[in-house]
Amino acid sequence: MKSNWTIDKNSTGVLSVTVDAEEWQKAQKKAFNKLKSGLTLKGFRKGQIPDAVAKKTIGSQHIQEAAIDEIANDALQAGIKEFDLDLVSRPILTVSKLGDDEAVLDFTCTVSPEVTLGDYSSIRIEKPEVSVSEEEVDAEVKHLQDRYADWVLREEGEPAQIGDQVTIDFVGEKDGIPFEGGAGNDYPLVLGSNTFIPGFEDQLVGIKSGEEKDIEVTFPVDYQAPDLAGQAVIFKVKAHDIKYKELPEINNELVKNLKRDGVETVEQYKEQARNALEEHKTKEADEKFTNEVLAAVVEQSSVEIPQVMIDQEVNKMYQQFEQRMQSSGFTAKQFLEATHQSEQDIKDQMKEEAAKRVKTTLVLEAIANNEHIEIPKEKIDEEYKLMSDMYQMPVEQIKAIIVPENIEYDLKQQQALDLLKKTAQSE
């Protein structure tokens, strides 16, 4: 086979493969034998039809079309190998020449684009220092108090205050007509929690049990229901029970309620809280530093991303969105109906982020190649073992799901990122 690769624009080109006479004849013979084996003709036993009769019945065009199916993948792989192409989507096949002695197959291919890297070794980013204040530790102790607090009923006639829980019935009306989703009964609302739209909870401060009140508010302009966005409405509210939060005393007995190993005193709880906060802040700082390094490296790099790669990333992001919805107890369809959006609306919103993700991946891949990063087989085996322990699955079963090339690719990306982070912190 002879191949010719012509790149056009946006990393799309045509791989033209000429199948020579010998290979083309073999492909046609193989295709003919398959077609003949399934052929039935009156007066002949199945499998005993003479070749000449079978060929006349099947027709040369049908045989050649079947031969294309036989030879197409081999032709494609030969061209990919010859020009070392990295395809990013399924190619489109057209046949530019078809005869008894020769076939020319044209594959329209989109390949991974060329990345022009900047001087990434010159990038310097300061990693933020991590510290935990006494106020932050005290806030964790306050959370512990809140966890074991009791709601105590206020005396009759005592007005509600910020922080109180008020049980309410409410009906929302626009132009005097109740609107969908705007009503509720016996709803426990904590004033100051910002659960309802801005202004709603503030107007309940001072209300008393049994009292009724009209609350005037305006929905935010970006509210999810278009017919209510930016609209002024009235909520007719009736208050029932009003409760205040009674906090427990901070002592060792309170801490023991947690039943945590090694935590039996207030000081031990504070130390554990401090360590947890420091770990959380360290992780946040590292994520912030990583994102800033990546943003700087990507910014100084240039690449023309094929649309198909962005579309593929959008589809992957949408699948992740569907999974998040399911884990929250909803379906994507329910979310779309509630927000008056279509699947395409959501995907359109994802395109900008998808393009950023694709560019970041391509830049890291280019850096890994530029730095000649190689992953030894032992490291890939270690990753399989870690995954086996994590998911409690045999290594061979994981290998059947995730091929070594994917593990190698991910490790190269990670090592490229580690290199960038190390360089960015150097003096």
Side-chain angles (χ1 to χ4, degrees), residues 282-382:
T282 299
K283 183 178 179 181
E284 280 191 334
D286 187 63
E287 288 179 353
K288 182 175 183 292
F289 171 71
T290 299
N291 291 335
E292 288 180 352
V293 171
L294 278 174
V297 175
V298 170
E299 176 65 25
Q300 64 170 213
S301 304
S302 61
V303 56
E304 188 176 11
I305 305 173
Q307 186 60 45
V308 66
M309 295 187 75
I310 297 175
D311 293 340
Q312 288 171 350
E313 186 64 25
V314 166
N315 289 334
K316 184 163 68 174
M317 291 172 65
Y318 190 81
Q319 288 175 354
Q320 294 169 347
F321 159 73
E322 289 180 314
Q323 292 168 359
R324 289 196 302 272
M325 287 295 100
Q326 289 177 351
S327 64
S328 301
F330 298 96
T331 65
K333 183 179 179 181
Q334 288 172 326
F335 176 85
L336 295 176
E337 290 175 349
T339 58
H340 304 282
Q341 298 181 91
S342 67
E343 178 178 325
Q344 191 58 51
D345 290 333
I346 301 296
K347 288 185 174 181
D348 287 342
Q349 296 166 28
M350 294 175 171
K351 285 182 179 179
E352 183 176 352
E353 176 61 25
K356 289 180 182 178
R357 293 188 184 186
V358 173
K359 185 176 181 180
T360 300
T361 299
L362 290 171
V363 168
L364 286 175
E365 182 180 340
I367 290 172
N369 292 333
N370 194 53
E371 297 291 337
H372 307 291
I373 294 175
E374 298 293 337
I375 307 297
K377 181 180 180 301
E378 295 76 17
K379 184 63 178 176
I380 296 174
D381 291 338
E382 287 177 15

Side-chain angles (χ1 to χ4, degrees), residues 9-43:
K9 58 182 180 179
N10 204 12
S11 300
T12 299
V14 176
L15 175 65
S16 184
V17 183
T18 300
V19 183
D20 59 41
E22 183 180 353
E23 290 172 306
W24 182 231
Q25 291 295 337
K26 286 181 181 178
Q28 289 183 88
K29 184 175 181 181
K30 188 175 181 180
F32 168 69
N33 288 334
K34 283 186 178 181
L35 292 169
K36 179 186 172 183
S37 66
L39 187 64
T40 57
L41 283 177
K42 188 175 181 180

Side-chain angles (χ1 to χ4, degrees), residues 168-172 181-187 196 200 235-238:
I168 60 172
D169 298 336
F170 61 92
V171 177
N185 291 315
D186 294 325
Y187 187 94
F196 278 32
F200 187 98
F235 282 93
K236 295 184 177 298
V237 178
K238 181 176 182 178

